[in-house]
Structures are given as C-alpha cells and as structure tokens.
Amino acid sequence: MKVLYVYAHPEPKSFNGALKDTALAALQEKGHEVKLSDLYAMKFHPVLKASDFPERKNLEIFNPFFEAIKAVKTGAFSPDIKEEMEKVKWADLLIFQFPIYFTFMPAIMKGWIDRILAPGFGFNPVTNSAYDTGLFKGKSAMIVTTTGAPKSMYSEEGAHGDLNRHLESITHCIFEYMGMKVLSSYIIYEVSSMSREKGTEELEKYRQRMLDL
C-alpha cells in the first residue's frame, strides 16, 4: 500500500514520537510505501486564509467554500496545500496520529483537515459527492491516538464518555463523509503515567498492528 502518515505532536522525544517512529519502521518493513506529514516539524500553518487561493474568484468577499471549488478545477492553491493534496491523492491509506486534547485532535491537525481536505477535493455537496459517492472512495483512514486519562474515564459510564463516540465526529463526519473506509481506531490510554516497561510493551503491540494492516 501507499500510506500517508499525518502526525501531530510538538515533542519528538515523546511517547507519541516513539509511536510514530515505530509505525514508520514497521510499515516500511512490511513493504509499504510511506510518506510522512509531521505537522509541527513542518511548521504547518493551520489557519484557512484568503492567501490559500492565489487566484481569487471574488476579491470583495472571501468565501472559502466557493474559492476551494474553483481552485480544485484550476489547481490554484497555495504551494503548501498543493503539496499535501498530492500526498493525499497518492495514498491508499491515511493514518492520523495525535494526542487527545479536550476529547478531540490538536488544532494544527484540524487546520490540516480544514485546508487540505477542501470542498471539491474530498467531497462536493454541489454534486452530492459525499458518503457513498465521496471523492475519496477507495481510500482508507485510521486514527491513532493517546490519552492522559485512564480508559475508565473514557468509557460509556466514565466522566468523559466513550472516546470512540467522540471520535465519530472525525471518523464518520470527515472520513466516511469523503467516501473513505474507516479502520478501527487505535487508542492507548493513560500515557502520562505509563512506566517505561509498559511503554515498551505498548510500542510492540502497535508495531504488530502496523504489520497486520
């Protein structure tokens, strides 16, 4: 497969950094082609802005939806967007790895989604290209994430509620909306208090998950 690994964590020496390195090594060991978008290392700009569209359709009022629809047809996106879009086009599988911030992804990754998975590129409500007819039909997507809180807090009865339910706003409303097949999320809980031995064990489990893709 061709795998795009979209990664968001600010510290390379973190457990998340070790997870990412483990995944890349395992995927390559298995013979997959891999491209990495390390958003913090890239200093990726997460804010959708008018300059994302060098050939504006309407210079008086900025409507990012209609500007994106036009730009998909002409290729007139800013260079950083075009580079990431080419990676998405290339990929069979997109893996998104991030720590949980307030039951959601970090802002830098949400910004990547806002800017890269643009109207007309992954979906198009104008032509009813969504869900079963989403423009990324044939691709797959997967979330890999970590929490500081224990699993009991992210259970149905826990204080935060079921984390998989929270993630449906991504897996269903973004990935499936764009036509992608969603693989089961890989979640590691209570990372903030994990022992070195437990961390090593979790890394090996994740390595096996990547090998089994």
CSV table of all heavy atoms in Angstrom, one decimal, residues 107-142:
chain,number,residue,atom,x,y,z
A,107,ALA,N,-5.3,21.5,17.4
A,107,ALA,CA,-5.7,22.5,16.4
A,107,ALA,C,-4.9,22.4,15.1
A,107,ALA,O,-5.5,22.6,14.0
A,107,ALA,CB,-5.6,23.9,17.0
A,108,ILE,N,-3.6,22.1,15.2
A,108,ILE,CA,-2.8,22.0,14.0
A,108,ILE,C,-3.3,20.9,13.0
A,108,ILE,O,-3.3,21.1,11.8
A,108,ILE,CB,-1.3,21.9,14.4
A,108,ILE,CG1,-0.4,22.2,13.2
A,108,ILE,CG2,-1.0,20.4,14.9
A,108,ILE,CD1,1.0,22.3,13.5
A,109,MET,N,-3.8,19.8,13.6
A,109,MET,CA,-4.3,18.8,12.7
A,109,MET,C,-5.7,19.1,12.1
A,109,MET,O,-6.0,18.9,11.0
A,109,MET,CB,-4.4,17.4,13.4
A,109,MET,CG,-4.8,16.3,12.5
A,109,MET,SD,-4.5,14.6,13.1
A,109,MET,CE,-2.7,14.5,12.8
A,110,LYS,N,-6.5,19.7,13.0
A,110,LYS,CA,-7.8,20.2,12.5
A,110,LYS,C,-7.6,21.2,11.4
A,110,LYS,O,-8.3,21.2,10.3
A,110,LYS,CB,-8.6,20.8,13.6
A,110,LYS,CG,-10.0,21.3,13.2
A,110,LYS,CD,-10.9,20.3,12.5
A,110,LYS,CE,-12.3,20.7,12.4
A,110,LYS,NZ,-12.6,21.8,11.5
A,111,GLY,N,-6.6,22.1,11.5
A,111,GLY,CA,-6.3,23.0,10.5
A,111,GLY,C,-5.8,22.4,9.2
A,111,GLY,O,-6.1,22.8,8.1
A,112,TRP,N,-5.0,21.3,9.3
A,112,TRP,CA,-4.6,20.5,8.1
A,112,TRP,C,-5.9,20.0,7.4
A,112,TRP,O,-6.0,20.1,6.2
A,112,TRP,CB,-3.7,19.3,8.5
A,112,TRP,CG,-3.1,18.6,7.4
A,112,TRP,CD1,-1.9,18.8,6.8
A,112,TRP,CD2,-3.7,17.4,6.7
A,112,TRP,NE1,-1.7,17.9,5.8
A,112,TRP,CE2,-2.7,17.0,5.7
A,112,TRP,CE3,-4.9,16.8,6.8
A,112,TRP,CZ2,-3.0,16.0,4.9
A,112,TRP,CZ3,-5.1,15.7,5.9
A,112,TRP,CH2,-4.2,15.3,5.0
A,113,ILE,N,-6.8,19.4,8.1
A,113,ILE,CA,-8.1,18.9,7.5
A,113,ILE,C,-8.8,20.1,6.9
A,113,ILE,O,-9.3,19.9,5.7
A,113,ILE,CB,-8.9,18.2,8.6
A,113,ILE,CG1,-8.2,16.9,8.9
A,113,ILE,CG2,-10.3,18.0,8.1
A,113,ILE,CD1,-8.9,16.1,10.1
A,114,ASP,N,-9.0,21.2,7.6
A,114,ASP,CA,-9.7,22.3,7.0
A,114,ASP,C,-9.1,22.8,5.7
A,114,ASP,O,-9.8,23.1,4.7
A,114,ASP,CB,-9.7,23.5,8.0
A,114,ASP,CG,-10.6,23.2,9.2
A,114,ASP,OD1,-11.3,22.3,9.2
A,114,ASP,OD2,-10.4,24.0,10.2
A,115,ARG,N,-7.8,22.9,5.6
A,115,ARG,CA,-7.1,23.5,4.5
A,115,ARG,C,-6.9,22.4,3.3
A,115,ARG,O,-7.0,22.8,2.2
A,115,ARG,CB,-5.8,24.1,4.9
A,115,ARG,CG,-5.9,25.3,5.8
A,115,ARG,CD,-4.6,25.9,6.1
A,115,ARG,NE,-4.0,26.5,5.0
A,115,ARG,CZ,-2.7,26.5,4.7
A,115,ARG,NH1,-1.8,25.9,5.5
A,115,ARG,NH2,-2.2,27.1,3.6
A,116,ILE,N,-6.6,21.2,3.7
A,116,ILE,CA,-6.2,20.2,2.7
A,116,ILE,C,-7.4,19.4,2.2
A,116,ILE,O,-7.5,19.2,0.9
A,116,ILE,CB,-5.1,19.2,3.2
A,116,ILE,CG1,-4.0,20.0,3.9
A,116,ILE,CG2,-4.7,18.3,2.1
A,116,ILE,CD1,-3.3,21.0,3.0
A,117,LEU,N,-8.3,19.0,3.0
A,117,LEU,CA,-9.4,18.2,2.6
A,117,LEU,C,-10.6,19.1,2.2
A,117,LEU,O,-11.6,19.1,2.8
A,117,LEU,CB,-9.8,17.2,3.7
A,117,LEU,CG,-8.7,16.3,4.2
A,117,LEU,CD1,-9.3,15.2,5.2
A,117,LEU,CD2,-8.0,15.6,3.0
A,118,ALA,N,-10.3,19.9,1.2
A,118,ALA,CA,-11.1,21.0,0.8
A,118,ALA,C,-12.4,20.6,0.0
A,118,ALA,O,-12.4,19.6,-0.6
A,118,ALA,CB,-10.3,22.0,0.0
A,119,PRO,N,-13.4,21.5,0.0
A,119,PRO,CA,-14.6,21.2,-0.9
A,119,PRO,C,-14.1,21.1,-2.3
A,119,PRO,O,-13.3,21.9,-2.8
A,119,PRO,CB,-15.4,22.5,-0.6
A,119,PRO,CG,-15.0,23.0,0.7
A,119,PRO,CD,-13.5,22.7,0.8
A,120,GLY,N,-14.7,20.1,-3.0
A,120,GLY,CA,-14.3,19.8,-4.3
A,120,GLY,C,-13.1,18.8,-4.5
A,120,GLY,O,-12.9,18.3,-5.5
A,121,PHE,N,-12.4,18.6,-3.4
A,121,PHE,CA,-11.3,17.7,-3.4
A,121,PHE,C,-11.7,16.4,-2.8
A,121,PHE,O,-11.5,15.3,-3.4
A,121,PHE,CB,-10.1,18.3,-2.6
A,121,PHE,CG,-8.9,17.5,-2.6
A,121,PHE,CD1,-8.3,17.0,-3.7
A,121,PHE,CD2,-8.3,17.1,-1.4
A,121,PHE,CE1,-7.1,16.2,-3.7
A,121,PHE,CE2,-7.1,16.4,-1.3
A,121,PHE,CZ,-6.5,15.9,-2.5
A,122,GLY,N,-12.2,16.4,-1.5
A,122,GLY,CA,-12.6,15.1,-0.9
A,122,GLY,C,-14.1,14.9,-0.9
A,122,GLY,O,-14.6,13.8,-0.8
A,123,PHE,N,-14.8,16.0,-1.1
A,123,PHE,CA,-16.3,15.9,-1.1
A,123,PHE,C,-16.8,17.1,-1.9
A,123,PHE,O,-16.0,18.1,-2.2
A,123,PHE,CB,-16.9,16.0,0.3
A,123,PHE,CG,-16.6,17.3,1.0
A,123,PHE,CD1,-17.6,18.3,1.1
A,123,PHE,CD2,-15.3,17.6,1.5
A,123,PHE,CE1,-17.3,19.5,1.7
A,123,PHE,CE2,-15.1,18.8,2.1
A,123,PHE,CZ,-16.1,19.8,2.2
A,124,ASN,N,-18.0,17.1,-2.4
A,124,ASN,CA,-18.6,18.2,-3.1
A,124,ASN,C,-20.1,18.2,-3.0
A,124,ASN,O,-20.8,17.5,-3.7
A,124,ASN,CB,-18.2,18.1,-4.6
A,124,ASN,CG,-18.6,19.4,-5.3
A,124,ASN,OD1,-19.4,20.2,-4.9
A,124,ASN,ND2,-17.9,19.7,-6.4
A,125,PRO,N,-20.7,18.9,-2.0
A,125,PRO,CA,-22.1,19.0,-1.8
A,125,PRO,C,-22.9,19.5,-3.1
A,125,PRO,O,-24.0,19.1,-3.3
A,125,PRO,CB,-22.3,19.9,-0.6
A,125,PRO,CG,-21.0,19.9,0.1
A,125,PRO,CD,-20.0,19.8,-1.0
A,126,VAL,N,-22.2,20.3,-3.9
A,126,VAL,CA,-22.9,20.8,-5.1
A,126,VAL,C,-23.3,19.7,-6.0
A,126,VAL,O,-24.3,19.7,-6.6
A,126,VAL,CB,-22.0,21.8,-5.8
A,126,VAL,CG1,-22.6,22.3,-7.1
A,126,VAL,CG2,-21.6,23.0,-4.9
A,127,THR,N,-22.4,18.6,-6.1
A,127,THR,CA,-22.7,17.5,-7.0
A,127,THR,C,-23.1,16.3,-6.2
A,127,THR,O,-23.1,15.2,-6.7
A,127,THR,CB,-21.4,17.1,-7.8
A,127,THR,OG1,-20.3,16.9,-6.9
A,127,THR,CG2,-21.0,18.3,-8.7
A,128,ASN,N,-23.5,16.5,-4.9
A,128,ASN,CA,-23.9,15.4,-4.0
A,128,ASN,C,-22.8,14.3,-3.9
A,128,ASN,O,-23.1,13.1,-3.8
A,128,ASN,CB,-25.2,14.7,-4.4
A,128,ASN,CG,-26.3,15.7,-4.3
A,128,ASN,OD1,-26.5,16.4,-3.3
A,128,ASN,ND2,-27.2,15.8,-5.3
A,129,SER,N,-21.5,14.7,-3.9
A,129,SER,CA,-20.4,13.8,-3.8
A,129,SER,C,-20.0,13.7,-2.3
A,129,SER,O,-19.1,14.4,-1.9
A,129,SER,CB,-19.2,14.2,-4.7
A,129,SER,OG,-19.6,14.3,-6.0
A,130,ALA,N,-20.7,12.8,-1.6
A,130,ALA,CA,-20.4,12.6,-0.2
A,130,ALA,C,-20.8,11.2,0.2
A,130,ALA,O,-21.7,10.6,-0.4
A,130,ALA,CB,-21.1,13.6,0.7
A,131,TYR,N,-20.2,10.7,1.3
A,131,TYR,CA,-20.5,9.4,1.8
A,131,TYR,C,-20.3,8.3,0.7
A,131,TYR,O,-19.2,8.1,0.2
A,131,TYR,CB,-21.9,9.3,2.5
A,131,TYR,CG,-21.9,10.1,3.8
A,131,TYR,CD1,-22.7,11.3,3.9
A,131,TYR,CD2,-21.2,9.7,4.9
A,131,TYR,CE1,-22.7,12.0,5.1
A,131,TYR,CE2,-21.2,10.5,6.1
A,131,TYR,CZ,-21.9,11.6,6.1
A,131,TYR,OH,-21.9,12.3,7.3
A,132,ASP,N,-21.4,7.6,0.3
A,132,ASP,CA,-21.2,6.6,-0.7
A,132,ASP,C,-20.6,7.1,-2.0
A,132,ASP,O,-20.0,6.3,-2.8
A,132,ASP,CB,-22.5,5.9,-1.0
A,132,ASP,CG,-23.0,5.0,0.2
A,132,ASP,OD1,-22.1,4.7,1.1
A,132,ASP,OD2,-24.2,4.6,0.2
A,133,THR,N,-20.8,8.3,-2.3
A,133,THR,CA,-20.2,8.9,-3.5
A,133,THR,C,-19.1,9.9,-3.2
A,133,THR,O,-18.8,10.7,-4.1
A,133,THR,CB,-21.3,9.6,-4.3
A,133,THR,OG1,-22.0,10.6,-3.5
A,133,THR,CG2,-22.3,8.6,-4.8
A,134,GLY,N,-18.5,9.8,-2.0
A,134,GLY,CA,-17.4,10.7,-1.6
A,134,GLY,C,-16.3,10.6,-2.6
A,134,GLY,O,-16.0,9.5,-3.2
A,135,LEU,N,-15.5,11.6,-2.8
A,135,LEU,CA,-14.5,11.7,-3.8
A,135,LEU,C,-13.2,10.9,-3.4
A,135,LEU,O,-12.3,10.7,-4.2
A,135,LEU,CB,-14.1,13.1,-4.1
A,135,LEU,CG,-15.2,14.0,-4.6
A,135,LEU,CD1,-14.8,15.4,-4.8
A,135,LEU,CD2,-15.8,13.4,-5.9
A,136,PHE,N,-13.1,10.4,-2.1
A,136,PHE,CA,-12.0,9.6,-1.7
A,136,PHE,C,-12.4,8.1,-1.6
A,136,PHE,O,-11.8,7.3,-0.9
A,136,PHE,CB,-11.5,10.1,-0.4
A,136,PHE,CG,-10.7,11.4,-0.4
A,136,PHE,CD1,-10.5,12.1,0.7
A,136,PHE,CD2,-10.2,11.9,-1.6
A,136,PHE,CE1,-9.8,13.3,0.7
A,136,PHE,CE2,-9.5,13.1,-1.7
A,136,PHE,CZ,-9.3,13.8,-0.5
A,137,LYS,N,-13.5,7.7,-2.3
A,137,LYS,CA,-13.9,6.3,-2.3
A,137,LYS,C,-12.7,5.5,-2.8
A,137,LYS,O,-12.1,5.8,-3.8
A,137,LYS,CB,-15.1,6.2,-3.1
A,137,LYS,CG,-15.9,4.9,-2.9
A,137,LYS,CD,-17.2,4.9,-3.6
A,137,LYS,CE,-18.0,3.6,-3.3
A,137,LYS,NZ,-18.5,3.6,-1.9
A,138,GLY,N,-12.4,4.4,-2.1
A,138,GLY,CA,-11.3,3.5,-2.5
A,138,GLY,C,-10.1,3.7,-1.5
A,138,GLY,O,-9.2,2.9,-1.5
A,139,LYS,N,-10.1,4.8,-0.8
A,139,LYS,CA,-9.1,5.1,0.2
A,139,LYS,C,-9.6,4.6,1.6
A,139,LYS,O,-10.8,4.5,1.8
A,139,LYS,CB,-8.7,6.5,0.3
A,139,LYS,CG,-8.1,7.1,-1.0
A,139,LYS,CD,-7.7,8.6,-0.9
A,139,LYS,CE,-7.2,9.2,-2.1
A,139,LYS,NZ,-5.9,8.6,-2.6
A,140,SER,N,-8.6,4.4,2.5
A,140,SER,CA,-9.0,4.1,3.9
A,140,SER,C,-8.4,5.1,4.8
A,140,SER,O,-7.4,5.7,4.5
A,140,SER,CB,-8.5,2.7,4.2
A,140,SER,OG,-9.1,1.7,3.4
A,141,ALA,N,-8.9,5.2,6.0
A,141,ALA,CA,-8.4,6.1,7.0
A,141,ALA,C,-8.4,5.5,8.4
A,141,ALA,O,-9.3,4.6,8.7
A,141,ALA,CB,-9.2,7.4,7.0
A,142,MET,N,-7.5,5.9,9.2
A,142,MET,CA,-7.4,5.3,10.6
A,142,MET,C,-6.9,6.4,11.6
A,142,MET,O,-6.0,7.2,11.2
A,142,MET,CB,-6.4,4.1,10.6
A,142,MET,CG,-6.1,3.5,11.9
A,142,MET,SD,-4.9,2.2,11.7
A,142,MET,CE,-4.7,1.6,13.4
